[in-house]
Amino acid sequence: MSEPFFNYIITIHNKEDLIHDVLVSVLLCCGPNSKVFAVLDGCTDNTEAILDRFTQRYQGVPLVKLYAPDVHEILSINTGLRAAPQEGDGYNIILQDDVMLADLDFESKITQLYAWGKGSLGFVSFRMGANFAPDALTSSSSVPLTSFIENAYGHGIHTEILLPGRFAYRTVPIKSPICLPAKIVREVGLMNEELAPYMHDDTDLAIRTTNAGYMNGVFALRFYSDVKWGGTRTNPHDELPKFEIRNMNRIRERYGVDLQKIAERVQRKDVIALPGMSSDELHNKAHN
């Protein structure tokens, strides 16, 4: 059986101050079957020149540049997914330009995670996740989610923390970074472009993967993403709340009964210490 491939899809908008370190962190994780798809989404700064220097200085850098005309996150993610190979056994690692991966065993751990899942896992966040609130269909909330859990390497936004090497079942993985298997892309499709430019595309994808019989979740691996690095978090677009309300209402209209069924009966929230990867197991192994 051949080794799985990894597509790293980085959506980039004017991040000349960070992109060198972001790209280095991804390249350090890359195995022989990996490729990096850098989506330059309306970049007007020095970002592209920094990427070019990598390919000029180092032979065999697995980097593909793609261009999008400042279309924001959902459409730029789809630009990467369309360009990347989706046939066979592979994984799409989707991350924004303010995320630095920090686990040299990243690909091995992802492969182990999905082998453990035995075909049942859908898409997985390395940041945080949540379940739909019981009244998600009828609620007036633009974010009808509950049971939030956050990677210990996250921002400390939520009180329930997921320790390294543990997996938590949650219906709605929240990006980024996330892992979207090529199998899911083939069966379920891309991000819903009707929700562009942003907000609730992960919510929409969560419903579709759940309807297809998969379980989603959160997997705690080491990464860095300081709050001050992210433009949306520090300087949100004026219309972001409007898109959040509009898109959640579109999801309610589109999925209706499915959303209610998931919220009432399908969800899980148990946490699993994966064999050989949880922090307590690694601590015991180091001291024995």
Side-chain angles (χ1 to χ4, degrees):
M1 184 177 177
S2 61
E3 290 294 313
F5 62 85
F6 282 79
N7 302 318
Y8 293 87
I9 297 170
I10 312 174
T11 57
I12 309 169
H13 179 73
N14 290 349
K15 272 294 190 293
E16 63 182 7
D17 56 332
L18 283 178
I19 197 60
H20 175 276
D21 292 343
V22 169
L23 186 56
V24 167
S25 79
V26 171
L27 291 172
L28 285 172
C29 294
C30 285
N33 295 326
S34 302
K35 190 167 285 188
V36 181
F37 295 84
V39 185
L40 297 161
D41 187 8
C43 287
T44 57
D45 65 355
N46 199 40
T47 296
E48 184 173 8
I50 294 170
L51 299 182
D52 289 341
R53 283 200 288 271
F54 272 93
T55 55
Q56 291 165 2
R57 291 180 179 177
Y58 305 105
Q59 185 175 5
V61 175
L63 176 65
V64 176
K65 289 189 303 181
L66 304 171
Y67 299 91
D70 201 4
V71 293
H72 299 290
E73 191 173 19
I74 296 174
L75 297 179
S76 60
I77 288 173
N78 280 353
T79 296
L81 289 172
R82 289 190 178 100
Q86 302 298 340
E87 296 303 319
D89 182 18
Y91 304 97
N92 299 286
I93 308 301
I94 299 170
L95 60 155
Q96 294 159 324
D97 54 15
D98 61 345
V99 173
M100 297 181 191
L101 302 180
D103 191 323
L104 296 182
D105 292 325
F106 183 87
E107 293 187 358
S108 173
K109 289 180 178 179
I110 298 304
T111 304
Q112 290 178 63
L113 171 69
Y114 278 89
W116 168 82
K118 298 180 179 178
S120 68
L121 292 186
F123 84 103
V124 171
S125 172
F126 307 118
R127 183 182 293 274
M128 69 173 72
N131 282 339
F132 287 112
D135 64 345
L137 179 59
T138 58
S139 169
S140 61
S141 172
S142 62
V143 187
L145 301 176
T146 187
S147 301
F148 282 89
I149 192 166
E150 183 177 9
N151 183 346
Y153 294 109
H155 297 139
I157 298 172
H158 298 289
T159 55
E160 187 170 2
I161 299 299
L162 187 66
L163 295 177
R166 294 177 185 266
F167 174 80
Y169 283 102
R170 290 297 189 274
T171 303
V172 185
I174 298 170
K175 63 185 182 305
S176 86
I178 63 170
C179 177
L180 180 60
K183 176 183 178 184
I184 300 297
V185 174
R186 295 195 300 270
E187 293 183 15
V188 177
L190 305 177
M191 299 294 182
N192 183 357
E193 296 189 355
E194 294 177 3
L195 305 178
Y198 37 51
M199 298 306 294
H200 284 306
D201 45 313
D202 34 21
T203 308
D204 179 275
L205 182 60
I207 294 173
R208 286 186 280 140
T209 52
T210 303
N211 282 346
Y214 295 98
M215 299 295 291
N216 304 319
V218 183
F219 186 43
L221 291 181
R222 186 189 295 265
F223 75 92
Y224 299 108
S225 181
D226 196 295
V227 171
K228 66 184 179 183
W229 296 347
T232 302
R233 292 188 292 273
T234 58
N235 186 28
H237 194 285
D238 291 342
E239 294 190 317
L240 190 147
K242 181 185 76 174
F243 288 126
E244 187 172 67
I245 293 168
R246 181 200 71 175
N247 288 353
M248 191 62 224
N249 286 336
R250 286 183 175 180
I251 286 170
R252 289 185 175 105
E253 293 169 4
R254 179 170 182 172
Y255 296 107
V257 174
D258 290 328
L259 175 57
Q260 185 170 356
K261 176 184 174 184
I262 292 169
E264 291 179 349
R265 300 197 296 274
V266 174
Q267 303 183 115
R268 294 173 61 175
K269 58 179 182 179
D270 43 319
V271 175
I272 312 294
L274 294 181
M277 283 196 275
S278 65
S279 54
D280 47 355
E281 283 183 311
L282 294 174
H283 178 272
N284 292 337
K285 188 181 296 183
H287 291 81
N288 287 336

